[in-house]
Amino acid sequence: MNDQVTPTTVLEVTDLKTVFKTRDGEVHAVNGVSFSVATGELLGVVGESGSGKSVTMMSLLKLLPSPPAEIVEGSVRFEGRDVLSMDDEEMRALRGGDIGFVFQDPMTSLNPVFTVGFQLVEALREHLKIKKKEARKRAAELLATVGIAQPEQRLKDYPHQFSGGMRQRVMIAMALACQPKVLIADEPTTALDVTIQAQILELIRELRNDKGMGIIWITHDLGVVAGIADRVIVMYGGQIVEHAKVADLFKNPQHPYTRALLATIPSVDATRSDRLHSIAGQPPSLARQPVSCPFAPRCEHAFDRCLEENPPIAAVADGHDVACWLTRNEFGRIELRGNF
């Protein structure tokens, strides 16, 4: 990104809360999540499965089926516009137009009975209102942009004729079709081999630098986040427990959960006798609104207040926010397990 250009906030989420209303009661999947994304910025979102990463991003674009999903509180603003108050027509224009979404599983996201070309062309014609011939030419250019050889020929192929990495590239091409200002990528490199993963990451870097789009990158891979993100939010139990610049997060993680996640990364200096570190216990049940720290049952440093009151997220340094009672008193004087 050009240092002379001052980034502006394009997407702002404030106190977002989403519940699923089921026969067994409400599931509190997202609990007061707030964050923003600026032009040309890449925001990493990390956390275990079930921490609320994907549900948060699908909520802000109203992609969850309602019922059972319901956004009960909060606001989402895109370039100052209230997203949650938009009608169906406005949302269709926003999705795939100003905000692109790369879904986690390209095989289930692409329609198996239509060619890749048909699906790309339809998206372009819907959002850009261009003729079919022009849309097809643009579709071929998009496939070439994401590194697919013989794009004109591959437009005639069906999703099952592409490898996993190629399908993921097609999904990225569809998300980029209308040159969105924000791209949300939900674990786009999951289950791909390291060579294809590296190619996709390089593609994202190029697109970010060339087009200045804001990117939200959801992943389990902390190594990927370290290499591409500007800021990182760590989610647990449907809420943000830590938010920091990527260098600060890796150099000085403050929340015990963040430190535990970092400790699970295998070390290249480890010997065969060294055991891999794991986080004991299970993720919290989201069947009720959290009234205590969601990580407390798994935290070896928890004390009475952690079990009685859910800590709000608060600044512990410039640009570094943490939701932990330890950061407010004895955090600096306790010794956490693991090398950081």
Side-chain angles (χ1 to χ4, degrees), residues 13 236 313:
V13 179
Y236 187 82
I313 193 163

Side-chain angles (χ1 to χ4, degrees), residues 66-139:
S66 180
E70 182 180 344
I71 298 173
V72 295
E73 195 173 320
S75 68
V76 178
R77 304 194 75 83
F78 175 78
E79 294 188 324
R81 292 181 287 160
D82 185 356
V83 173
L84 299 184
S85 66
M86 291 182 179
D87 58 28
D88 291 344
E89 185 176 347
E90 290 175 308
M91 285 305 304
R92 282 194 295 270
L94 183 68
R95 302 187 198 116
D98 289 323
I99 300 180
F101 204 119
V102 181
F103 292 94
Q104 190 171 145
D105 187 351
M107 196 62 230
T108 57
S109 301
L110 292 169
N111 194 320
V113 302
F114 292 109
T115 64
V116 163
F118 177 85
Q119 295 179 65
L120 272 168
V121 168
E122 286 300 297
L124 287 164
R125 295 188 69 189
E126 172 68 23
H127 290 285
L128 301 183
K129 308 301 180 186
I130 57 179
K131 294 182 178 180
K132 187 175 181 178
K133 184 176 180 180
E134 185 181 351
R136 192 167 184 83
K137 179 181 177 182
R138 172 67 178 149

Side-chain angles (χ1 to χ4, degrees), residues 169-329:
R169 288 168 182 257
V170 171
M171 286 299 300
I172 293 173
M174 292 182 71
L176 297 172
C178 302
Q179 299 184 344
K181 296 177 182 177
V182 174
L183 176 68
I184 301 174
D186 190 357
E187 300 190 37
T189 56
T190 297
L192 301 182
D193 63 67
V194 292
T195 302
I196 299 299
Q197 183 184 84
Q199 292 173 356
I200 289 177
L201 292 176
E202 183 58 32
L203 170 64
I204 291 297
R205 289 192 189 96
E206 292 174 2
L207 292 171
R208 173 191 174 193
N209 293 333
D210 293 345
K211 302 183 182 302
M213 69 176 65
I215 300 173
I216 300 174
W217 189 278
I218 305 170
T219 183
H220 288 95
D221 195 332
L222 290 165
V224 169
V225 166
I228 65 173
D230 297 304
R231 293 185 293 120
V232 185
I233 58 177
V234 181
M235 293 193 66
Y236 187 82
Q239 62 190 57
I240 296 174
V241 295
E242 187 159 5
H243 161 237
K245 295 176 182 177
V246 65
D248 292 341
L249 188 86
F250 281 83
K251 183 178 180 180
N252 188 30
Q254 291 288 296
H255 199 282
Y257 176 62
T258 307
R259 294 192 170 205
L261 282 179
L262 292 172
T264 63
I265 301 175
S267 172
V268 294
D269 299 323
T271 64
R272 299 187 69 178
S273 61
D274 291 337
R275 294 181 63 86
L276 292 175
H277 181 74
S278 62
I279 306 174
Q282 298 294 325
S285 169
L286 300 177
R288 63 186 180 90
Q289 185 75 24
V291 294
S292 60
C293 175
F295 189 61
R298 305 174 72 183
C299 181
E300 61 186 43
H301 308 290
F303 57 101
D304 291 346
R305 191 175 187 184
C306 302
L307 301 171
E308 297 169 353
E309 191 177 353
N310 193 5
I313 193 163
V316 294
D318 184 26
H320 198 149
D321 307 316
V322 183
C324 180
W325 294 122
L326 290 171
T327 61
R328 292 158 173 77
N329 47 47

